[in-house]
Amino acid sequence: MSNTSEDIIANLQHALDLGLNKEEFEKIKDILGRDPNFTELSIFSVMWSEHCSYKNSIKWLKTLPRDGDQMLVKAGEENAGLVDLGDDLACAFKIESHNHPSAIEPYQGAATGVGGINRDIFTMGARPIAQLNSLRFGNPDHHNTKNLIRGVVKGIGDYGNSFGVPVVGGEVYFDESYNINPLVNAFSAGIMKKDRFISAISKGVGNTVFIVGSSTGKDGIHGAAFASKDITDDSADDLPAVQVGDPFQEKLLLEASMELSKHDYIIGMQDMGAAGIVCSSSEMSAAGNCGMKINLDLVPKRQEDMKDWEILLSESQERMLVVVKKGNEEKVKSIFDKWDLNCVHIGEVTNDGILQYFMNDKLVAEIPADVLVLGGGAPVYEREYKEPAYFKELQKFSIDFIEEPNDYKKVSERLIASLNICSRKWIAQQYDSMVGTINMSTNNPSDAAIVNLKGTNKVLSMTVDCNSRYVHANPTVGAMIAVSEAARNIVCSGGIPLAITNCLNFGNPYNPEVYWQFVNVIKGMKMACEKFNTPVTGGNVSFYNQTVSDNSEVPVFPTPTIGMIGLSSKNDIMSLNFKGKSDLIYLIGKARNDISSSEYLVVNHGIRLSSAPYFDLEEEFNIQNIIIKLIKNNLIQSAHDISEGGLFVSLLESSISGNLGFDITTSSEIRKDAFLFGESQSRVAVSVSEIDEDKFLDFMKTNKVSFSLLGHVTKGEIRIDDEIFGNINKYKSIYENSLSKFIESI
């Protein structure tokens, strides 16, 4: 292409300022056969950013299991994963991060995270039916924590409630590693008929390219590149990189997309999220081995005098790119007109594989599509990694270092008041959990959210899980636990695990110790996913989650959040709450003399870092299979996994909804604090009716899984080793009100 005097020819300093390195700048010149102009360099900077290209992670991501009989699309090749549910139905689901925007502008950052993940779902032709979220905030005593949680929760609630998709569950953790850089991971799942799938692809020379939805503004420019930057004391200066959402516009876009999915009018469609028009046009073109000519003058704009690169890189929300089969333009336009949305012809498909962007009758950028995208010309790196010094130190931890408490009642009250244990009721009440009438677990709590698949005898179970303290202690084991706990939650709810999506949150990949965490997380995730036959359908990698202040870089705990779905019949739904005061309580799995990385260790002893809790993958797998059989044979009344807070918290959570209690006896072979509060894995507390006890015991004796009688359900009294701990109402009050008291305190 020719340049005019008005063009800015890019140099190395421009490249460095845009987050590219010297080698990447030279590679760009080799690809183009010339020096890029500033617009072209800006395009490369966002498309080759970590957020879009996964250049520092893709090598390891490819080692994850990504195939399975239930998979309908290849992992990472569409906007979201797509899994076969039978009955001609499919589930599209995905989890993504919106960490950096939420750190700078919590309300809009979280809100647009919700909007973006839902667009990924309905762009494929699936109607979103349920949302989850996984949130991480700093130390409760940090000056910024309350403002962040208030803004993030309100942003999620306002957008999700207005959009009309229920939030059916999630998780929240607090740790000082997230003081400045919170994590906001949003999950969405949608249902579609398999024959209404819409691919993110472009092909067919001469086919029309439409931009649909909202007008384009200057919000979110270089947002993808911003997501690959450190959070520093000056990050507020990057506020223009944070997008602004409109849930009511998104609702219109959803309905138009659903109507469009019923017809054979289009080739493909893609959400315009990170990197805006550039990302959608390049990825769709690369997928179809074609090119595009785009006229930026025709793009509907909210602001005057926008530069070409601003239009191309804008991340204004509620927009999509649609490639229409020639001759169907008016039919497509009529659908979007009906919903009062922009639907503007801005370009055509070409056969040369080149992206050409025009403005003011001038060619402003010309780049081969495939060189911009993951799997094409985008760089791929293998980073140095090394074991951190802290790792060996943590392995030296022993329970023998810790003195047993004198007053277990005080410890139990202190533990359930912890913000990492107590009820998330204050948050949940700000979300609409019932819109759409598909939520089946609001008044019948389960370890996973249960969603009705209307018109069938099936339900979809879903969960998000990760204990980042475990992962920091041992990335391989911690990642295996994250996958296993997600599967355990699905199983305890009556479901069979199908597949996962992941959101991998880490610090700076150029830090060898951070990259060591990442590599070992992938190894652990791979082993667990293979064991449970839960392929990875896709997800998100979010690096650069750290705080930089006074030239010191503090990464967050490595946080590989696992989103998992499962499937079961409505007859197999299992809840976690005790049913009757005479029911017997059994422990499936083996109690161990282990308090490593427990919340008890943090709350009662002030020890934040220690070794990972006990875990054995084979043992976990066997126990989950037993739980599945117990449920299918109607041998148990409730099932609840034992995780954060240990056995005591698990039993308390099973007691609360029915205002019941429990009377149990601890083991003389295990320290009492480990028995009650330890977080060793692969354990489930179940309740059994008296009339089913013999059948239960006969079944368990034929299986090689440890189990033991703990005690029985009471009318409301909590008794341990014949000592009265109090009534359920006292504990319920502490458990349900601790978070609201923290948020509302000045």
Side-chain angles (χ1 to χ4, degrees):
M1 67 174 281
S2 63
N3 294 310
T4 72
S5 60
E6 297 176 1
D7 291 321
I8 301 173
I9 304 301
N11 56 37
L12 177 59
Q13 190 57 53
H14 290 133
L16 297 174
D17 291 342
L18 290 171
L20 296 162
N21 60 37
K22 182 179 179 182
E23 291 74 22
E24 289 168 346
F25 182 60
E26 293 301 320
K27 184 176 180 178
I28 291 167
K29 291 196 293 183
D30 287 342
I31 288 170
L32 298 179
R34 54 177 171 80
D35 290 336
N37 63 32
F38 182 78
T39 298
E40 291 167 331
L41 189 68
S42 295
I43 290 171
F44 276 102
S45 78
V46 293
M47 292 304 298
W48 284 10
S49 68
E50 184 66 38
H51 190 76
C52 290
S53 75
Y54 294 165
K55 59 188 178 185
N56 289 307
S57 57
I58 190 60
K59 175 185 180 295
W60 288 99
L61 295 177
K62 287 182 176 180
T63 67
L64 292 170
R66 298 181 295 165
D67 296 313
D69 294 339
Q70 64 272 49
M71 297 275 286
L72 295 176
V73 300
K74 290 185 178 181
E77 293 194 358
E78 297 290 346
N79 285 305
L82 193 65
V83 173
D84 194 344
L85 301 180
D87 296 317
D88 199 35
L89 296 177
C91 176
F93 71 109
K94 189 181 183 183
I95 189 169
E96 279 199 341
S97 65
H98 232 223
N99 303 334
H100 286 58
S102 300
I104 304 305
E105 214 299 302
Y107 180 87
Q108 288 293 353
T112 51
V114 172
I117 196 65
N118 279 308
R119 279 196 309 280
D120 281 338
I121 301 305
F122 69 74
T123 302
M124 295 178 68
R127 180 177 290 275
I129 61 167
Q131 302 171 120
L132 306 169
N133 52 70
S134 175
L135 311 176
R136 300 291 192 283
F137 299 102
N139 189 311
D141 296 328
H142 190 270
H143 66 89
N144 204 35
T145 298
K146 286 181 186 177
N147 288 333
L148 283 170
I149 190 172
R150 284 190 183 112
V152 166
V153 171
K154 186 170 175 55
I156 293 171
D158 284 0
Y159 199 105
N161 296 349
S162 300
F163 183 57
V165 178
V167 177
V168 296
E171 58 174 9
V172 184
Y173 287 93
F174 296 82
D175 185 86
E176 65 186 48
S177 72
Y178 309 106
N179 276 353
I180 303 299
N181 198 139
L183 302 184
V184 178
N185 296 176
F187 171 104
S188 180
I191 302 298
M192 64 187 295
K193 289 191 177 292
K194 288 192 287 189
D195 61 358
R196 293 186 179 178
F197 166 63
I198 301 173
S199 181
I201 193 170
S202 171
K203 58 185 179 182
V205 177
N207 281 333
T208 303
V209 179
F210 279 166
I211 189 170
V212 302
S214 295
S215 297
T216 298
K218 294 186 179 183
D219 49 316
I221 293 172
H222 280 295
F226 168 60
S228 302
K229 293 173 65 177
D230 295 331
I231 297 294
T232 70
D233 296 332
D234 299 322
S235 289
D237 296 340
D238 287 318
L239 192 58
V242 180
Q243 310 92 333
V244 178
D246 182 347
F248 302 104
Q249 191 83 343
E250 176 133 324
K251 177 66 174 173
L252 298 176
L253 195 56
L254 162 66
E255 297 304 333
S257 299
M258 292 297 97
E259 188 169 341
L260 189 63
S261 72
K262 298 176 182 178
H263 304 283
D264 189 29
Y265 298 158
I266 67 172
I267 297 293
M269 179 164 63
Q270 182 162 334
D271 166 43
M272 221 169 273
I277 292 173
V278 162
C279 187
S280 299
S281 58
S282 61
E283 290 184 347
M284 292 179 77
S285 296
N289 297 309
C290 63
M292 284 187 190
K293 289 184 178 179
I294 302 291
N295 186 346
L296 301 179
D297 292 310
L298 302 176
V299 174
K301 294 175 275 291
R302 292 202 302 266
Q303 293 160 274
E304 296 181 357
D305 302 321
M306 289 186 69
K307 298 179 177 64
D308 50 40
W309 59 270
E310 291 176 324
I311 300 169
L312 282 167
L313 303 184
S314 168
E315 296 181 9
S316 293
Q317 299 291 282
E318 295 85 40
R319 301 178 303 152
M320 299 192 301
L321 205 68
V322 183
V323 177
V324 180
K325 294 179 180 178
K326 203 157 186 67
N328 291 286
E329 291 85 355
E330 290 306 313
K331 295 173 183 175
V332 172
K333 195 172 188 308
S334 68
I335 291 174
F336 287 94
D337 285 347
K338 172 184 173 180
W339 294 99
D340 197 25
L341 293 165
N342 289 319
C343 182
V344 180
H345 178 183
I346 63 168
E348 293 79 35
V349 178
T350 63
N351 64 356
D352 57 6
I354 305 296
L355 299 171
Q356 293 182 312
Y357 304 106
F358 295 83
M359 190 167 174
N360 298 323
D361 296 321
K362 176 185 166 185
L363 182 60
V364 297
E366 185 176 32
I367 303 174
D370 64 340
V371 304
L372 295 175
V373 302
L374 175 68
V380 175
Y381 298 122
E382 183 175 0
R383 295 293 170 205
E384 174 193 0
Y385 57 92
K386 67 175 183 179
E387 182 182 289
Y390 81 78
F391 180 70
K392 281 191 172 63
E393 286 301 309
L394 294 188
Q395 311 319 306
K396 298 176 182 177
F397 174 81
S398 169
I399 191 173
D400 298 332
F401 302 159
I402 306 301
E403 188 176 346
E404 282 196 67
N406 296 317
D407 191 334
Y408 274 87
K409 285 186 280 189
K410 284 186 178 178
V411 173
S412 66
E413 291 175 18
R414 193 180 302 128
L415 185 63
I416 64 169
S418 164
L419 296 189
N420 286 333
I421 298 292
C422 70
S423 168
R424 273 61 175 142
K425 187 177 179 181
W426 179 87
I427 295 173
Q429 287 177 335
Q430 298 187 55
Y431 303 151
D432 191 336
S433 64
M434 295 305 294
V435 63
T437 67
I438 52 85
N439 188 353
M440 300 181 69
S441 51
T442 296
N443 300 315
N444 199 27
S446 301
D447 279 358
I450 306 294
V451 175
N452 185 17
L453 294 177
K454 293 184 177 182
T456 77
N457 190 41
K458 296 176 180 178
V459 295
L460 192 67
S461 48
M462 58 187 72
T463 185
V464 287
D465 290 284
C466 178
N467 187 311
S468 55
R469 187 182 295 141
Y470 300 169
V471 183
H472 180 265
N474 188 321
T476 303
V477 171
M480 285 195 289
I481 291 175
V483 174
S484 299
E485 185 180 358
R488 197 185 321 137
N489 284 331
I490 297 290
V491 166
C492 287
S493 302
I496 304 296
L498 289 181
I500 77 163
T501 177
N502 56 50
C503 193
L504 309 179
N505 308 271
F506 292 85
N508 191 332
Y510 293 83
N511 179 335
E513 295 185 352
V514 167
Y515 206 74
W516 177 87
Q517 293 174 330
F518 171 76
V519 169
N520 282 280
V521 159
I522 297 296
K523 292 178 180 179
M525 191 183 306
K526 178 178 186 293
M527 286 187 282
C529 286
E530 288 175 342
K531 189 68 179 177
F532 293 107
N533 190 27
T534 51
V536 180
T537 63
N540 174 219
V541 177
S542 177
F543 282 131
Y544 303 96
N545 292 290
Q546 64 249 342
T547 301
V548 179
S549 184
D550 299 326
N551 295 318
S552 175
E553 183 180 283
V554 183
V556 300
F557 273 173
T559 311
T561 306
I562 304 298
M564 182 179 288
I565 64 168
L567 192 67
S568 70
S569 79
K570 289 173 183 172
N571 301 325
D572 292 332
I573 296 174
M574 179 57 60
S575 61
L576 61 84
N577 52 303
F578 293 143
K579 306 302 188 297
K581 63 181 180 69
S582 60
D583 288 350
L584 300 165
I585 305 171
Y586 279 88
L587 175 67
I588 311 295
K590 190 174 182 180
R592 299 185 184 272
N593 212 38
D594 179 17
I595 56 173
S596 293
S597 286
S598 63
E599 189 67 14
Y600 158 73
L601 200 57
V602 178
V603 169
N604 203 64
H605 297 281
I607 298 175
R608 177 170 164 264
L609 303 176
S610 58
S611 54
Y614 171 86
F615 177 75
D616 181 271
L617 185 57
E618 189 68 28
E619 183 179 332
E620 177 74 40
F621 181 75
N622 292 336
I623 284 172
Q624 291 193 23
N625 281 337
I626 292 298
I627 298 297
I628 290 170
K629 293 176 183 177
L630 286 169
I631 293 172
K632 287 194 175 293
N633 286 284
N634 297 311
L635 294 176
I636 58 176
Q637 297 294 307
S638 68
H640 190 16
D641 88 308
I642 297 169
S643 54
E644 288 83 7
L647 176 65
F648 180 85
V649 170
S650 178
L651 297 179
L652 186 74
E653 290 172 340
S654 293
S655 300
I656 282 175
S657 67
N659 289 319
L660 298 169
F662 53 89
D663 184 345
I664 65 168
T665 302
T666 64
S667 171
S668 59
E669 298 177 0
I670 296 173
R671 275 180 40 162
K672 191 169 180 174
D673 56 349
F675 191 90
L676 291 175
F677 311 129
E679 297 176 15
S680 61
Q681 298 295 294
S682 312
R683 294 180 296 153
V684 178
V686 303
S687 61
V688 180
S689 68
E690 287 183 300
I691 61 173
D692 289 331
E693 186 182 17
D694 288 343
K695 288 188 289 185
F696 170 83
L697 291 173
D698 288 342
F699 175 85
M700 292 302 299
K701 289 172 183 176
T702 64
N703 292 275
K704 297 179 180 180
V705 169
S706 296
F707 73 102
S708 57
L709 177 65
L710 293 172
H712 65 273
V713 179
T714 70
K715 204 170 180 178
E717 185 179 75
I718 295 175
R719 183 186 292 266
I720 300 174
D721 295 334
D722 291 326
E723 180 183 1
I724 298 175
F725 273 51
N727 190 274
I728 187 63
N729 290 325
K730 177 183 75 172
Y731 283 93
K732 184 176 181 178
S733 178
I734 299 170
Y735 180 80
E736 291 190 344
N737 296 314
S738 292
L739 181 58
S740 60
K741 285 181 179 178
F742 161 69
I743 298 294
E744 294 164 7
S745 64
I746 299 174

